[in-house]
């Protein structure tokens, strides 16, 4: 309030001496302001403007001394009465606003004790469908007597290609859209493995037959669209001994498919194909009836009898040893089994997606307990 207005008040004080109506008007105005204060802060501003040192009520009191003696008592009593009622109104409005603030806070910070108990991170976490399928496949082949082998993601050109009977300049190299590292001083180049087949080589070079391994892992190809991602997963299988033949390969794949898709029968089609590291080579399709969509063939893997050159390249005698190998796309069979439409979603790290498609960490797949929950 400016000095000019304060001067006006002084004049009105004079009138108040004669007319208690002015006090009643001021009281009405103050009580209205108090009632209209929307929160504790606004109410405090009203209090200061009324009862503060320079507030409108305090200034009335200050004028008391300048009144004729016979009027002081009555005026003082009136102002005191006003002051008391304003204070009371402030008090009760304050209590009311505090009650409101508390109940709105209680409403927003409400805990619903009827909600189920949250068991913490273990309950919240989900296993990615590819990890789930990785475990399911390992469980199935483990039951058939396969061990799990591993190799590095960063491979030599020799193990990824050359020893697999894909010499330099072989056209098959172009098919793989390889990520290469810069050449080393000796001219050799490291690369991101384009398939899990180099684990066949590593295993044959380090173990004596009989060999029976699977090798799940990440593989990389320079390719990206709705059905290809630059990184994806394969699972390799390799059996080497003195008598394993094509019949074993077919049986093994068929048993795997029945166990994996959790059905009694799977119709399969073995199509002649070509891989430099197998002879003969076959691609395997399954009848999509296995996933409830009859009438369609779905390719799930490449396979064949290990090429004698590959066996020789690993220091084994191809006249003594033989066997089969296959490589299967893990992401692909995951999508088929669990009805996941877009490959790219698998790598989007979207927690809502994971909550929907993911698996509880304690639902470990076992053949006895059931592969999928
Ligand atoms: N490595 C082949 C691929 O990535 C798959 C395969 C593995 C084929 C083993 C035959 C034998 O396409």
């Amino acid at each position: 309030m400016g000095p000019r207005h304060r001067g006006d008040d002084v004049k009105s004080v004079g009138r108040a001496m004669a007319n208690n109506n002015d006090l009643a008007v001021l009281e009405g105005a103050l009580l209205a302001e108090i009632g209209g204060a929307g929160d504790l802060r606004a109410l405090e501003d009203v209090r200061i403007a009324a009862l503060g040192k320079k507030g409108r009520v305090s200034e009335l009191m200050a004028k008391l001394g300048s009144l004729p003696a016979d009027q002081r008592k009555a005026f003082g009593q009136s102002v005191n009465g006003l002051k008391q009622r304003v204070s009371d109104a402030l008090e009760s409005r304050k209590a009311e606003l505090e009650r409101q603030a508390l109940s709105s806070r209680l409403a927003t910070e409400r805990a619903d004790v009827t909600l189920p108990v949250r068991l913490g991170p273990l309950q919240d976490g989900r296993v990615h469908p590819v990890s789930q399928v990785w475990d399911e496949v390992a469980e199935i082949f483990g039951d058939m007597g396969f061990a799990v082998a591993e190799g590095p993601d960063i491979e030599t050109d020799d193990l990824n290609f050359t020893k697999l009977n894909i010499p330099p300049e072989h056209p098959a190299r172009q098919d793989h859209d390889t990520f290469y590292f810069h050449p080393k001083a000796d001219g050799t180049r490291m690369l991101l493995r384009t398939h899990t087949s180099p684990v066949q080589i590593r295993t044959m070079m380090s173990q004596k037959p009989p060999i029976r391994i699977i090798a799940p892992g990440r593989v990389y190809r320079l390719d990206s669209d709705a059905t290809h991602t630059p990184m994806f997963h394969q699972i390799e299988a390799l059996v080497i001994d003195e008598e394993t033949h094509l019949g074993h390969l077919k049986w093994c794949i068929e048993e795997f498919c029945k166990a994996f898709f959790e059905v009694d029968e799977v119709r399969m089609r073995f199509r002649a194909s070509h891989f430099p590291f197998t002879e003969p080579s076959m691609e395997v399709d399954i009848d999509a009836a296995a996933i409830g969509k009859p009438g369609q063939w779905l390719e799930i893997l490449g396979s064949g009898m290990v090429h004698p050159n590959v066996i020789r390249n690993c220091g084994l005698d191809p006249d003594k040893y033989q066997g089969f190998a296959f490589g299967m796309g893990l992401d692909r069979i995951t999508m088929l089994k669990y009805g996941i439409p877009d490959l790219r979603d698998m790598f989007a790290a979207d927690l809502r997606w994971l909550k929907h498609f993911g698996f509880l960490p304690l639902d470990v797949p076992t053949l006895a307990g059931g592969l999928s929950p």
Side-chain angles (χ1 to χ4, degrees), residues 164 176 194-198 200 219 221 232 234-237 274-275 277-278 281-283 299 301-306 324-328:
L164 283 161
H176 279 223
T194 58
H195 51 178
T196 41
S197 300
Q200 288 187 35
V219 300
R221 290 183 201 176
F232 57 105
Q234 285 188 336
I235 184 153
E236 194 84 7
H274 176 79
F275 300 102
F277 34 91
T278 47
S281 304
M282 292 159 303
E283 280 174 314
E299 183 190 324
L301 59 86
S303 67
M305 299 305 292
V306 180
F324 66 77
F326 59 84
M328 189 160 55

Side-chain angles (χ1 to χ4, degrees), residues 62-122:
K63 295 297 158 203
L64 204 60
S66 62
L67 286 180
D70 62 331
Q71 294 179 10
R72 268 182 220 162
K73 190 174 174 205
F75 183 73
Q77 277 175 349
S78 301
V79 175
N80 265 332
L82 164 68
K83 187 176 171 184
Q84 191 55 52
R85 287 187 297 281
V86 169
S87 294
D88 290 350
L90 280 166
E91 255 338 289
S92 71
R93 180 70 182 145
K94 186 173 177 214
E96 191 181 331
L97 286 173
E98 278 170 351
R99 250 194 328 273
Q100 279 176 15
L102 179 65
S103 59
S104 79
R105 196 168 154 204
L106 285 177
T108 53
E109 295 177 9
R110 203 172 69 127
D112 183 349
V113 294
T114 65
L115 286 175
V117 179
R118 238 191 283 164
L119 298 181
L122 195 61

